Protein backbone atom coordinates (compact mmCIF):
# COMPACT_ATOMS: atom_id res chain seq x y z
CA UNK A 1 0.00 0.00 0.00
CA UNK A 2 1.35 3.41 -0.97
CA UNK A 3 -0.03 6.55 0.63
CA UNK A 4 0.09 10.03 -0.85
CA UNK A 5 2.17 12.75 0.79
CA UNK A 6 1.12 13.68 4.32
CA UNK A 7 2.24 15.13 7.65
CA UNK A 8 1.09 13.27 10.77
CA UNK A 9 0.80 14.90 14.21
CA UNK A 10 -0.02 13.25 17.52
CA UNK A 11 -0.48 14.76 20.97
CA UNK A 12 -0.53 12.48 24.00
CA UNK A 13 -1.62 13.82 27.37
CA UNK A 14 -1.68 11.40 30.29
CA UNK A 15 -2.40 12.12 33.94
CA UNK A 16 0.74 12.81 35.95
CA UNK A 17 2.93 12.86 32.82
CA UNK A 18 4.33 15.52 30.56
CA UNK A 19 2.52 15.98 27.22
CA UNK A 20 4.19 14.37 24.21
CA UNK A 21 3.97 15.71 20.64
CA UNK A 22 5.00 13.59 17.65
CA UNK A 23 5.34 14.90 14.10
CA UNK A 24 6.00 12.68 11.07
CA UNK A 25 6.74 14.31 7.73
CA UNK A 26 6.00 12.15 4.68
CA UNK A 27 5.91 14.84 2.01
CA UNK A 28 8.11 16.12 -0.80
CA UNK A 29 7.12 19.64 0.29
CA UNK A 30 9.38 19.43 3.35
CA UNK A 31 11.74 22.36 3.72
CA UNK A 32 14.81 22.22 5.94
CA UNK A 33 16.93 25.22 6.81
CA UNK A 34 19.43 26.34 9.40
CA UNK A 35 20.98 29.61 10.39
CA UNK A 36 21.67 32.06 13.16
CA UNK A 37 19.07 34.28 14.77
CA UNK A 38 20.64 37.68 14.46
CA UNK A 39 19.05 39.37 17.46
CA UNK A 40 20.52 36.91 19.97
CA UNK A 41 22.92 35.13 17.92
CA UNK A 42 21.99 31.51 18.39
CA UNK A 43 21.77 28.69 15.87
CA UNK A 44 18.52 27.10 14.76
CA UNK A 45 17.39 24.18 12.64
CA UNK A 46 13.92 24.19 11.12
CA UNK A 47 11.84 21.50 9.42
CA UNK A 48 8.61 22.75 7.88
CA UNK A 49 5.79 21.71 5.61
CA UNK A 50 2.48 23.38 4.86
CA UNK A 51 1.00 21.48 7.79
CA UNK A 52 3.62 21.72 10.56
CA UNK A 53 6.88 23.33 11.69
CA UNK A 54 9.61 22.01 13.98
CA UNK A 55 12.26 24.38 15.32
CA UNK A 56 15.39 23.23 17.15
CA UNK A 57 17.74 25.60 18.97
CA UNK A 58 20.01 25.82 21.97
CA UNK A 59 19.06 24.94 25.55
CA UNK A 60 16.74 27.56 27.00
CA UNK A 61 17.36 29.63 23.86
CA UNK A 62 20.64 30.63 25.46
CA UNK A 63 24.38 30.18 24.86
CA UNK A 64 25.58 26.96 23.24
CA UNK A 65 26.30 24.26 25.84
CA UNK A 66 28.26 21.00 25.65
CA UNK A 67 24.92 19.18 25.48
CA UNK A 68 23.83 21.39 22.56
CA UNK A 69 27.02 20.41 20.72
CA UNK A 70 26.39 16.71 21.42
CA UNK A 71 22.79 17.05 20.15
CA UNK A 72 23.97 18.84 17.00
CA UNK A 73 26.46 16.03 16.32
CA UNK A 74 23.69 13.44 16.75
CA UNK A 75 21.48 15.36 14.30
CA UNK A 76 24.37 15.55 11.81
CA UNK A 77 25.13 11.82 12.09
CA UNK A 78 21.47 10.85 11.81
CA UNK A 79 21.04 13.08 8.74
CA UNK A 80 24.13 11.53 7.12
CA UNK A 81 22.71 8.04 7.74
CA UNK A 82 19.31 9.10 6.36
CA UNK A 83 21.01 10.45 3.23
CA UNK A 84 23.04 7.26 2.74
CA UNK A 85 19.95 5.07 3.16
CA UNK A 86 17.92 7.22 0.74
CA UNK A 87 20.71 7.16 -1.86
CA UNK A 88 21.05 3.37 -1.60
CA UNK A 89 17.32 2.71 -1.86
CA UNK A 90 16.97 5.18 -4.75
CA UNK A 91 19.82 3.50 -6.65
CA UNK A 92 18.25 0.08 -6.06
CA UNK A 93 14.89 1.37 -7.29
CA UNK A 94 16.49 2.78 -10.46
CA UNK A 95 18.36 -0.48 -11.07
CA UNK A 96 15.13 -2.49 -10.67
CA UNK A 97 13.30 -0.09 -13.00
CA UNK A 98 16.06 -0.33 -15.61
CA UNK A 99 16.02 -4.14 -15.40
CA UNK A 100 12.23 -4.16 -15.84
CA UNK A 101 12.37 -1.68 -18.77
CA UNK A 102 15.13 -3.70 -20.47
CA UNK A 103 13.19 -6.96 -20.10
CA UNK A 104 10.04 -5.44 -21.63
Amino acid sequence: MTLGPYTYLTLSMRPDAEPHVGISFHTPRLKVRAGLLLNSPRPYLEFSSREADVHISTTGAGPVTDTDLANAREIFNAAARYLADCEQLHAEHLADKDATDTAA
Side-chain angles (χ1 to χ4, degrees), residues 2-83:
T2 302
L3 298 174
Y6 67 95
T7 298
Y8 186 75
L9 175 97
T10 60
L11 172 61
S12 301
M13 297 178 71
R14 298 181 188 156
D16 301 320
E18 292 184 19
H20 179 267
V21 176
I23 300 175
S24 299
F25 293 105
H26 302 275
T27 174
R29 296 184 301 245
L30 183 65
K31 296 194 182 338
V32 181
R33 63 184 184 154
L36 284 175
L37 294 174
L38 298 177
N39 58 347
S40 63
R42 65 184 164 95
Y44 71 89
L45 177 63
E46 176 183 55
F47 297 84
S48 62
S49 72
R50 291 172 35 191
E51 300 88 4
D53 299 309
V54 174
H55 302 265
I56 300 167
S57 191
T58 55
T59 304
V64 177
T65 66
D66 290 341
T67 302
D68 295 325
L69 287 173
N71 288 337
R73 287 184 189 103
E74 285 185 47
I75 291 168
F76 177 85
N77 290 329
R81 171 68 189 267
Y82 178 70
L83 173 61

Side-chain angles (χ1 to χ4, degrees), residues 85-99:
D85 290 346
C86 285
E87 287 176 336
Q88 178 184 352
L89 292 170
H90 183 67
E92 290 171 5
H93 173 74
L94 290 178
D96 289 346
K97 185 175 184 256
D98 287 345

